[in-house]
Amino acid sequence: VNEFELIEKLTRSLPTNKSVVTGSGDDCAVLDFGLPDKLLLFKTDAIVEGIHFKTGAPPEKIGHKALARCLSDIAAMAGTPTAALITIALPKKFDETVVEAIYSGINALARKHDVAIAGGETTTNPERMLISVALVGLVPRGKAILRSGAEAGDAIFVTGDLGGSLASRHLEFEPRLAEARWLAEHFSIHAMIDLSDGLAGDLRHILKASHVGAELLTTSIPVSRAAKLASKGESSTKPPLLAALTDGEDFELLFTVASKDAVPVLDAWKKQFPKLALTCIGKITPGEGITLRDKSGKRLLTAHGYEHFAK
Amino acid sequence: VNEFELIEKLTRSLPTNKSVVTGSGDDCAVLDFGLPDKLLLFKTDAIVEGIHFKTGAPPEKIGHKALARCLSDIAAMAGTPTAALITIALPKKFDETVVEAIYSGINALARKHDVAIAGGETTTNPERMLISVALVGLVPRGKAILRSGAEAGDAIFVTGDLGGSLASRHLEFEPRLAEARWLAEHFSIHAMIDLSDGLAGDLRHILKASHVGAELLTTSIPVSRAAKLASKGESSTKPPLLAALTDGEDFELLFTVASKDAVPVLDAWKKQFPKLALTCIGKITPGEGITLRDKSGKRLLTAHGYEHFAK
């Protein structure tokens, strides 16, 4: 059983109540607390030493990553983060300065996005550090972008470039909060997700939630320099395109819009965010699964994105 | 450096914003999202295998405890819980039925208190299981009971009986949500906390936040049967009174009211909750620290409650 199968089983009959607008299965939970014009976003995310960061990684960057991952999920709903609680589980013998540096990384990113760190706790995890962040935020009522709104014919867009994040980017990425809000304010975004499991895996989340398929033009997928470099390294046998499709932790935005909006989105984006690439990588289809298209024809993409329990 | 000293250091300069009414240092964070008559409560709590529960403990009870601890913190503010997110960190090889049973325990308690389980995540912690619960709830504006409102002369009350929780109670306790709300609705409760670190430790949190001291009448402290039994066991050398003062995880309510309200609270409580003891155990004093009073006189209590990092 892999992570996604287990979650699907566990989430089949969860308790709910009238506050829940969107429960498990999207980037954040969406809750209705009776605010006339806004809904609450609620998200948690944990990173574990040796899994999501190496022992001895710069602690400020560990802190940055812990909060940035959660912020990226708020971005994927086109929301605005408000306040976070930080849980740090530590071995009994820990270096106090490391914990303070982790908080420095968290605090710096929080200040940048006007997020309050409203508390949290420290607890014990004897063998390795674990940091869990819980976040609440707001989104205008009716404006949360879900995974389930993609329609056949939609153009598929991705921000930035993809793959090879493990080299350094996974500890330094900037959550695309302003970009996502701008998109939602100016265009009818049908579906959106942030890339944590890899393009193929996360696109599949949109396809599954929206009951559609996708066709990607392989030559248009923006492959990062890091993915190209990694493919030349001795330890890797992953071609750059496969890295861009399946490496995790890019934390870019993946979204779909009606085909008529494709050119207007691109034009307006270039003026608004000239330093960040936006690329149309394909279209949503009525079928299912992901088809790759290049000059030699079409083939079905079978490689999944990163799954946490898969080995 | 112990847990409380580290937290004090880390929380000195946390980022804040206009949403924060009460940040770190109370049972829950209190946030203002602009609801006219209500404030949001926000809390996280984690339990770790081998620390907060034994390997092989009944999984339904592990799940119960994970959520109940968070609910108990909402109770300590006289709030109402709304929705939770569950994070379970698991070794790579895990028993799927154990995880499902943990969720059964969580779900049963959630349904009892109309709490939605709005999602969460599974991640990897190779050596042991860790469960973190994030919870949001509501409290009427101006009605959250903080730790900081105790005044000299206040009567100190505790629900239930104390000590020896490790024998079984820590996995089975019922969060005092209805009791706390009833108290806040019918009386002016000055300060309240739930007993997680032990009576002495948690009373000190109230005293520190309120800048007062306390005098406890040792003969009135409600010592649990479990604490008395444990004191007769071969492995324990803790007298029952010390167990009631310093054992952790009772998850009863500790609160203070003006002395004029002491008898009315007791009388009304007996009618409302005839099955749950409520005991006046002493009074708030203008000084500092905890004084124990018995027939032989007064002495200063130096034993702290349980501190997670103390050894």
Side-chain angles (χ1 to χ4, degrees):
Chain A
V1 59
N2 72 22
E3 184 189 6
F4 300 118
E5 288 163 353
L6 175 68
I7 290 172
E8 192 169 310
K9 199 160 183 181
L10 294 174
T11 54
R12 250 175 236 158
S13 58
L14 291 176
T16 189
N17 61 31
K18 63 182 167 53
S19 78
V20 179
V21 178
T22 303
S24 65
D26 219 299
D27 295 281
C28 301
V30 185
L31 303 175
D32 188 347
F33 274 92
L35 276 167
D37 55 350
K38 282 174 184 154
L39 296 172
L40 194 83
L41 300 176
F42 188 21
K43 176 70 187 181
T44 59
D45 191 80
I47 60 173
V48 183
E49 179 180 348
I51 313 277
H52 303 92
F53 61 90
K54 287 180 184 163
T55 303
E60 289 87 354
K61 293 188 179 183
I62 297 171
H64 174 95
K65 177 172 183 174
L67 180 59
R69 282 168 60 106
C70 250
L71 295 179
S72 185
D73 282 305
I74 299 280
M77 310 291 280
T80 301
T82 308
L85 300 175
I86 312 297
T87 300
I88 303 194
L90 294 162
K92 295 236 177 209
K93 283 186 182 177
F94 63 91
D95 183 344
E96 194 189 321
T97 61
V98 168
V99 179
E100 291 180 63
I102 288 172
Y103 261 85
S104 292
I106 293 170
N107 293 348
L109 184 63
R111 287 199 177 91
K112 192 169 175 180
H113 295 284
D114 193 24
V115 175
I117 305 299
E121 65 157 342
T122 57
T123 188
T124 305
N125 191 38
E127 295 82 10
R128 57 184 73 224
M129 195 186 294
L130 179 151
I131 306 172
S132 178
V133 176
L135 196 58
V136 287
L138 290 171
V139 68
R141 190 176 279 269
K143 293 289 185 184
I145 313 295
L146 305 181
R147 299 175 178 179
S148 53
E151 295 172 23
D154 279 4
I156 305 171
F157 283 93
V158 69
T159 63
D161 47 31
L162 309 180
S165 171
L166 198 61
S168 69
R169 191 176 141 69
H170 77 110
L171 287 173
E172 297 162 352
F173 71 91
E174 288 295 331
R176 305 301 189 194
L177 284 158
E179 293 85 351
R181 276 197 302 269
W182 177 87
L183 283 167
E185 279 164 19
H186 292 84
F187 294 94
S188 172
I189 309 298
H190 288 181
M192 187 154 62
I193 193 169
D194 70 317
L195 293 182
S196 54
D197 296 331
L199 173 58
D202 289 315
L203 178 55
R204 279 183 213 280
H205 293 317
I206 285 184
L207 302 183
K208 194 175 174 192
S210 302
H211 309 287
V212 289
E215 184 179 302
L216 300 183
L217 197 63
T218 56
T219 51
S220 64
I221 291 170
V223 181
S224 74
R225 191 160 166 270
K228 290 171 190 163
L229 280 173
S231 73
K232 291 172 188 161
E234 287 180 12
S235 61
S236 172
T237 54
K238 217 180 209 183
L241 177 64
L242 192 64
L245 281 165
T246 63
D247 281 359
E249 310 223 317
D250 289 313
F251 296 107
E252 295 292 349
L253 296 173
L254 177 71
F255 63 91
T256 83
V257 294
S259 60
K260 70 171 176 57
D261 286 336
V263 173
V265 163
L266 270 175
D267 286 347
W269 178 278
K270 277 178 197 163
K271 284 175 197 154
Q272 187 69 22
F273 304 107
K275 290 178 182 170
L276 181 63
L278 180 69
T279 314
C280 181
I281 58 172
K283 63 181 181 186
I284 298 293
T285 62
E288 58 181 48
I290 301 173
T291 304
L292 290 183
R293 185 175 185 163
D294 58 23
K295 55 188 175 185
S296 66
K298 290 184 187 182
R299 58 204 152 113
L300 203 65
L301 180 66
T302 52
H304 275 254
Y306 178 68
E307 293 179 18
H308 294 291
F309 288 134
K311 274 289 156 195
Chain B
V1 60
N2 71 23
E3 184 189 7
F4 300 118
E5 287 163 352
L6 175 67
I7 290 172
E8 193 170 308
K9 200 162 182 180
L10 294 174
T11 54
R12 251 174 235 159
S13 58
L14 290 176
T16 188
N17 61 31
K18 63 182 168 49
S19 77
V20 180
V21 178
T22 303
S24 65
D26 218 300
D27 294 282
C28 300
V30 186
L31 303 175
D32 188 347
F33 274 92
L35 276 167
D37 55 348
K38 282 172 184 158
L39 295 172
L40 194 83
L41 300 176
F42 187 20
K43 176 70 189 182
T44 60
D45 191 81
I47 60 172
V48 183
E49 180 180 349
I51 313 275
H52 302 93
F53 61 92
K54 288 179 186 166
T55 302
E60 289 87 354
K61 292 189 179 183
I62 296 170
H64 174 96
K65 177 173 182 173
L67 180 58
R69 283 169 59 108
C70 251
L71 295 179
S72 185
D73 282 304
I74 299 280
M77 310 291 280
T80 301
T82 307
L85 300 176
I86 311 297
T87 300
I88 303 194
L90 294 162
K92 295 236 177 209
K93 285 186 183 175
F94 64 91
D95 183 344
E96 194 188 321
T97 61
V98 168
V99 179
E100 290 181 64
I102 288 173
Y103 260 84
S104 292
I106 292 171
N107 293 349
L109 184 62
R111 287 199 177 91
K112 191 169 175 179
H113 294 284
D114 192 24
V115 175
I117 305 301
E121 64 158 342
T122 57
T123 189
T124 306
N125 190 39
E127 295 81 11
R128 58 184 72 226
M129 196 186 292
L130 179 151
I131 306 172
S132 178
V133 175
L135 195 59
V136 288
L138 290 171
V139 67
R141 192 174 278 268
K143 293 289 184 185
I145 313 295
L146 304 181
R147 298 176 178 179
S148 54
E151 295 172 23
D154 278 4
I156 305 170
F157 282 91
V158 70
T159 63
D161 48 31
L162 310 180
S165 170
L166 197 62
S168 69
R169 191 176 140 69
H170 76 110
L171 287 173
E172 298 162 351
F173 70 93
E174 288 295 331
R176 304 301 189 193
L177 284 159
E179 294 85 351
R181 278 197 301 268
W182 177 87
L183 284 168
E185 279 164 20
H186 292 83
F187 294 94
S188 172
I189 308 298
H190 288 180
M192 187 153 64
I193 193 170
D194 70 316
L195 294 181
S196 54
D197 297 330
L199 173 59
D202 288 314
L203 179 54
R204 278 183 215 281
H205 293 319
I206 286 185
L207 302 184
K208 195 176 173 191
S210 302
H211 308 289
V212 290
E215 185 179 302
L216 300 183
L217 198 63
T218 57
T219 51
S220 63
I221 291 169
V223 180
S224 74
R225 190 159 168 271
K228 289 172 190 162
L229 279 173
S231 74
K232 290 172 188 160
E234 287 180 12
S235 61
S236 172
T237 54
K238 218 180 208 184
L241 177 64
L242 191 63
L245 282 165
T246 63
D247 281 358
E249 312 222 316
D250 288 314
F251 296 105
E252 295 291 351
L253 296 173
L254 176 71
F255 63 91
T256 83
V257 294
S259 61
K260 69 173 176 55
D261 286 337
V263 173
V265 164
L266 271 175
D267 285 347
W269 178 279
K270 277 179 198 164
K271 283 175 200 155
Q272 187 69 22
F273 303 108
K275 289 178 182 171
L276 181 62
L278 179 69
T279 313
C280 181
I281 58 171
K283 63 181 180 185
I284 298 294
T285 62
E288 59 180 49
I290 300 173
T291 304
L292 290 181
R293 185 176 185 161
D294 59 22
K295 57 187 175 185
S296 65
K298 290 184 187 182
R299 58 205 154 112
L300 203 64
L301 180 66
T302 52
H304 276 254
Y306 177 69
E307 295 179 17
H308 295 290
F309 288 134
K311 273 291 157 195

